[in-house]
Structures are given as structure tokens and as C-alpha cells.
Amino acid sequence: MKIAYDMEVWERLGAKLPITAPLKTHPSYLLTGSSGSGKSYALKYLMFNASNEARLWVCDFKDSEDFTFLKGLNGYYEGDNAEQGILHFHDAFTKVRKKEIITQEIRILVIDEYPSLLLYLSSIDKEEKTKRADRIKRCVAEMLMLGRGLGFGVWIVTQRADASLFDGGSRDNFMGIISLGRTSREQEQMLFAGEEIQKRIYKPGEGIVLLDGLPLMEIKFPMIKDVKKLEGKIIEGFKKSRG
């Protein structure tokens, strides 16, 4: 799957050198970036590139305008339904793990603004004495730790990737970490410990990526003028993967 383009080559030579990683071996990604960093656009670009290889699920707790084009499609869960979407995906994962279903299909779960969902569920847990937030965290952790060999990946999209979001150190199981825009020193040390990071200000759509087995790289996402066309291609991928 194409991730983005090598920023150094783009700026120095004016050439677009794609940075790629096989979706089968690198199914899980952590995408971080503050407001205005180009995170939502980058996510659509990644979804487009993955849609021809994998079946996508999208859980959009905030029910944002970014994913309006997916409304009504099988595999899209907005608002309070985001919790159920994660559980549905985990059920499919469990059936494959237990060999109740044999498949070579790659399946990707995209959770946009994951911390907001957990915060919401935690507030319900306090009122109703339930453990819904813990259940979701356990499901996500299990899929991050065991999903690669089964063709299951999880994409977490968030402004900050605090360790408290991930049970049992499962954050270390992302095969790719993408950080866009301005990143705090604390966040850099948390996500890219031991890596040498250049001090520079990134424009929207620019940042760094750390892929499993590769050195840290600066990346740039291309500007696509026809966003509606891009969204249409994602819709085609949704429908095609579901027959």
C-alpha cells in the first residue's frame, strides 16, 4: 500500500517517490496530528489506497462531516454506533482466530478520534457501573497484538496517542506510526523513542512516519484537487469488498 511520498526527494528533486508497505505485513497504523495538520485528508488518502486490497470498517464516533460520504454504507458506524462497529469487527476477528472462518481477506478497522469514544464510554461506566470502555480497549489491544497473522488491522486516528489508550503495551504493535504537523517533544519521545527527529515546522499534509523494519522518514501527502472523486473511489472499494 502506498503511504505517502518521500518529502526530501520531493523538495530536493521535485520527484514523487512513493513510500510503501505491504498491507498484509503492515495492517495496523497509528495516525496522529493536531487540528489543521491535514490528518483527516491523509486518512482519506490512506483509505483510498487500502480500499482495493482490504475490506474497510470505519467507526466515526464524532459523526464528522469528513465521512458524510460513507453514510448508509455497510461497514460505516457513526455516533454511538461506533462502539458496536468495533465489537462487530472483533467478532469477525475472533471467528477467524478460532478457525470458525477460513479466509485470506485483509480487513481493516478505522477508528477516528478513538479517545473521544473511550471518554464517552467511561462517563457511562461511572453512571451505570459498567465496563464498556475497558471492553473496547481490550478488544482493540487483542486485535493489535494478534491481528497481523490473521489479516486484521486497526487504524487509530487521534490528536494524541497517550499510553493510557492502549492496554498491555499494545501501542507497540502498530506496524506504522504517522505523525503530521507540529508535534510536542513529549509526544515525539512517546511515539519515536530513540529516533533522531529533525526540528522543523511541517505544513499541513507533512510529517514523519516510522514503519516496522525501516528508519524514520519525512513524508508528504499529495494534494488531490477532486476530493469528491477520491471519496467516490473509496465508496467503490467499500461496495466491491462486500460483493
Side-chain angles (χ1 to χ4, degrees), residues 32-154:
T32 71
S34 59
S35 179
S37 65
K39 185 171 77 271
S40 295
Y41 178 81
L43 176 58
K44 287 183 182 179
Y45 182 77
L46 292 167
M47 287 170 58
F48 163 70
N49 289 332
S51 62
N52 289 325
E53 301 180 53
R55 181 186 292 197
L56 300 180
W57 272 254
V58 176
C59 293
D60 173 25
F61 171 68
K62 285 191 172 182
D63 196 8
S64 66
E65 293 183 1
D66 292 323
F67 297 103
T68 301
F69 71 101
L70 293 176
K71 284 186 179 293
L73 291 180
N74 181 20
Y76 174 67
Y77 302 84
E78 76 270 36
D80 292 356
N81 292 324
E83 176 190 10
Q84 200 60 42
I86 296 171
L87 296 177
H88 284 168
F89 188 83
H90 183 262
D91 285 344
F93 162 81
T94 300
K95 289 177 180 178
V96 172
R97 182 174 61 82
K98 292 182 176 179
K99 296 184 171 55
E100 295 176 14
I101 296 176
I102 305 299
T103 178
Q104 298 298 316
E105 184 180 52
I106 300 175
R107 307 186 192 196
I108 302 297
L109 172 66
V110 180
I111 311 176
D112 193 29
E113 296 300 341
Y114 182 53
S116 298
L117 173 60
L118 292 181
L119 183 62
Y120 169 72
L121 294 177
S122 294
S123 67
I124 293 177
D125 290 338
K126 289 180 180 179
E127 292 180 4
E128 301 181 0
K129 308 301 181 183
T130 53
K131 296 184 178 181
R132 291 164 64 177
D134 285 343
R135 182 185 183 187
I136 290 298
K137 287 171 67 175
R138 286 196 302 270
C139 287
V140 169
E142 182 183 4
M143 292 186 293
L144 284 173
M145 292 177 177
L146 303 175
R148 174 160 57 177
L150 301 173
F152 283 77
V154 179

